[in-house]
Amino acid sequence: MTPALEIVGLSKTFGEKTAVDHVDLTVPQGSFYGLVGQNGAGKTTTLSMAVGLLRPDAGSARIFGADVWSAPSRALSLVGVLPDGMAMPERLTGREVLTYLGLLRGLPKEVVAERAEELLSVLELDAAERTLVIEYSTGMRKKIGLAVALLHAPRLLVLDEPFEAVDPVSAATIKTILRGFVAGGGSIVLSSHVMALVEQLCDHVGVIDAGRVAAAGTLEEVRGERSLEDTFVDLVGAPGAGAKALSWLSR
Amino acid sequence: MTASVTPSAATSLTTSLTMAGMKLAVLRNSMSGQKSGSIVIGGVLGLVLAGGTLFAAFRTGDLLAAAYAIWMLGWIFGPVFSGGGDETLRPEYFTLLGIPPRRLASGLLVGAFVGIAPVISLLALAGLAVFGVRQSPAAVVVALPAMLLQLAVFVLLSRVAVAVLGLALRSRVGAVGAGLVNGAILAALGQGWVFAVALGQAGGITPEASAALRYLPSGWGLAAVEAAVAGSWGRAALTLGALAVLVALLLAAWAALLTRRAGSARASARGRRPITASTASGAVVAKELRVWSRDLVRTHQLTFALAYGVFFAAAPLLLGVHGMLPWAGPIFVLMAAAMSANLYGADGTALWLTLVAPGAADVRGRQQAWLLVVGPVAVAVTLAFSAAVGGFEPAVLALTAALLGGGAGIVPLISVYALVPGTDPHRRGGNPLRVSEDDGAMTGLAYAVLALVALTGAPAALAAWLYGWAGVAVGVVTGALSFWGFGLLAQRRLHSHGPDLLQTMRTGKRPAAATGPGRWMSLDHLPKREQIITVICWSIGAVPLFPQGIVAGVLKAGGTENRSWFLALHLPDGLQWPTIAFMVLLGLGLYGLGLWIPYRRRT
């Protein structure tokens, strides 16, 4: 079966710094894939290159077999993207953003209206009907971003830190939606540095450290008998024991 | 806990010195980055202006007073067009420190004095000392404090103006009002000759005008020096005291405004019309039109452009000349294009949405929206004013059509080819004018658009001048061609370079130009010293080559009596032609050096 996302040898260098160094990852269809790594490990850079938002120095990315860089139209119609910290059309309301994007994606007007209505109510954004996106809280921005990613009914979701700054109630809503998406045959890649969250949601894990894949496979393969957090700390070699307490903070 | 910390003079001093230190550190860092180019260009231009002011100090007090009035207007209005002025140290950085507003304002003020612009202004203000000492050496006692106080007034007026405008841009009425006032004043400056002629008709600078120049806050320092020269030391001291009081008042006003500065420009809360479009490009138009009507910064820009056009064209009415009035339309179009120069940059990283929907014609939608916003107003103004002066001129109508198409084509084109990364709208600070970190490049882009759009009007203007009404047809055709052709180029560039543009926007840095074999080194990659030399060569090469060389030569060949500032014509006869030749060679040499440095470093 064609993988939902296949990344082969992706590399990216910014000036002197190699951000991503020949990353290979395969996301099987129907999997819930968690990409973990420290801040600055290269998660966002890898995912940006995988969905056509950043030009790689080398390597390729295929979404259901369609190359993101040589056949972008087909590849991009199959994927929904939630980038971290990117701007939106800030002076539109949530409904207007969805309408604009649905039409941009070439969906019929009625379908767009129907889906926008449903997404806004499921994600509890319909109360802020007259609020512009620029006035949204960080959590609301994540939710409208998720709605944008889901709008055209993609078969793969690529989500960069979808739970960052989201309140627990909204997080539960989002988890339900994402689990439903996978249960319905969709595939998800999400990046996070919260190990508990990845253990709770994902069936596959990739560990990225300093721009390279340190480990990848099913959750069981990667963590073995231990917790993901212990495995992760071992893999990236951050000695937790070496961390010193700040003496001047205690009385 | 009742431990009270009295804000002593020492803490105040520490705050101020820390801020000055921070500012210096940032300046030092930016001199090695991409901004260094615009800093050097700005510095060279400033030095030329300061030189002109010092020259005025050797002439009359009226001239000097007028020069300082222009410096003051520059300080007040400069920030409006260059991205909100100097924001190296933002009040927001210090909110969590709990510094009292007055102390924060004094600290920021001290920080504000560290920079290129204040130093150059101080140089221009040295004209006060020159002017005083020329007439009475003792006046220097008054001139020195007057220079410093006057500089403080300039810097503070600038800060207060930006803060007031920031408040105004929180409401639609404020945005429109500020746009009208700014447009009117800038147009008046641009049409300075009208007032000069009007004054000339009144027989030179009237005593009233001469007094008015000294009543302006920019003239107080000069008034003090003049009093000292006249020997009335009491009046000099009083005027200096008044300057000091003005500084204190402005500082207090700024401190008060700082506490009110919070959040970005509010979007207007009018009723939301549902989007009725049903196609992709229709959706882009709908989105853009909403941005134009909801972003109060854009409202301000449009009102400014309109006010500038109308007041600029209406100014000659003071002399009873009506002919210029219909030109308000084309001037408005030019200004509107310049104000929207950084079309894509202003949206920041929202570009990613365009990239994930590659089929959509984003450029075409933006072009149509721009035309829908600017076009009807421009046409209405042109037609109404033409009718008002009782005649339709082919050139005006031809240019309106040509420039509308040209603007709609050039604006998206230049914003994808010379993108200046903007700050994402939701990350902007309390200064709504601050839309990019690279304000120098933004200003440059606006001037580039102004020039390029004006060029697109050239064929129509020429045709109208030669063949009359046929020019209007030429204007419509070139307008349509510009819209179509430049739009197509922009669309292609967006397709081929979309991810690179997004990366530029994300990092705030223009990507390193590919330095393949045989390519010249781009300016950003030269060592700092060579970078500065190159920029200086390019900036001032024109001065010896054109005015001092070629123009002086033409004037000499024509046997003119007007020597103006042409150095060669002031020299003994035998030296005139050699000087002209030297100037031409010097200019060519400067340009040659500017080319040679990057060429030598080619890889």
Side-chain angles (χ1 to χ4, degrees), chain A residues 55 86-87 91 96 130, chain B residues 267 272 294 349 496 500 506:
Chain A
R55 198 184 297 283
M86 295 262 206
R91 313 264 168 197
E96 286 169 344
R130 286 167 62 92
Chain B
R272 310 278 188 227
R294 288 174 190 173
T349 51
S496 61
D500 312 282
R506 219 193 247 183

Side-chain angles (χ1 to χ4, degrees), chain B residues 120-139:
Chain B
I120 289 174
S121 297
L122 193 62
L123 189 64
L125 285 168
L128 287 177
V130 172
F131 183 78
V133 171
R134 268 179 60 225
Q135 300 171 63
S136 143

Side-chain angles (χ1 to χ4, degrees), chain B residues 272-332:
Chain B
R272 310 278 188 227
R273 287 159 287 124
I275 294 180
T276 53
S278 56
T279 61
S281 68
V284 178
V285 176
K287 182 208 75 173
E288 278 293 296
L289 287 179
R290 279 165 179 74
V291 177
W292 277 107
S293 70
R294 288 174 190 173
D295 187 345
L296 294 178
V297 174
R298 290 209 195 183
T299 307
H300 172 255
Q301 292 176 340
L302 268 189
T303 328
F304 166 80
L306 184 59
Y308 187 90
V310 169
F311 284 106
F312 193 94
L317 290 180
L318 285 178
L319 304 178
V321 176
H322 299 103
M324 197 164 178
L325 197 55
W327 290 93
I331 296 171
F332 161 61

